[in-house]
Amino acid sequence: MIVAIPFENGSIGQHFGHTEQFKIYTIEEGKALMKSRVVSTDGQGHGALAAFLTGLDVNVVICGGIGDHAIAGLESSGIAVHSGVNGFCDAAARAFKNGKLESLQCSTCDSHGEGGCSHSCSSCGH
């Protein structure tokens, strides 16, 4: 399984559409260690990220803030989304691998107005 996490100085990027780098984890069943690498998006944003991640054979995205359109694009490409996650990328990947990742699994970026993004779940109120 291949997991992608928006990467900002070791932490989970909180605005999916502005991600400049992803940390990509390869998780193999029954193996304690995960392989990881950091890849650049080469300036691709919002709409292009689903195709970018599909090209890397990503199965799961773990992220902070993400909008409905990005979720729909990822899910239509067969990529599961776990949103509303904070902290360090490595810790989130380990939690996911161990079945202990807590996420909202909904849109967490519902306002792109002058004040920036509002990072709360637009469908369940978190």
Side-chain angles (χ1 to χ4, degrees):
M1 175 171 298
I2 299 177
V3 176
I5 302 178
F7 183 77
E8 289 182 14
N9 299 317
S11 295
I12 299 169
Q14 292 302 301
H15 195 297
F16 178 82
H18 293 195
T19 300
E20 294 180 15
Q21 296 179 312
F22 282 94
K23 191 157 187 185
I24 306 295
Y25 296 86
T26 302
I27 300 174
E28 297 179 40
E29 194 171 327
K31 303 252 178 155
L33 297 176
M34 297 179 289
K35 297 176 191 171
S36 67
R37 62 191 163 105
V38 175
V39 298
S40 172
T41 62
D42 295 323
Q44 299 179 71
H46 286 94
L49 290 176
F52 174 77
L53 294 171
T54 299
L56 295 173
D57 296 323
V58 168
N59 308 101
V60 175
V61 166
I62 299 170
C63 60
I66 186 170
D68 288 328
H69 293 293
I71 290 172
L74 291 167
E75 289 179 343
S76 72
S77 297
I79 299 172
V81 178
H82 296 271
S83 63
V85 182
N86 295 302
F88 293 105
C89 294
D90 291 348
R94 277 192 303 277
F96 176 80
K97 181 181 186 300
N98 294 326
K100 297 180 189 266
L101 180 70
E102 293 185 28
S103 67
L104 297 177
Q105 295 185 293
C106 58
S107 172
T108 55
C109 188
D110 59 5
S111 172
H112 288 94
E114 208 168 290
C117 265
S118 169
H119 285 214
S120 62
C121 183
S122 61
S123 51
C124 68
H126 283 97

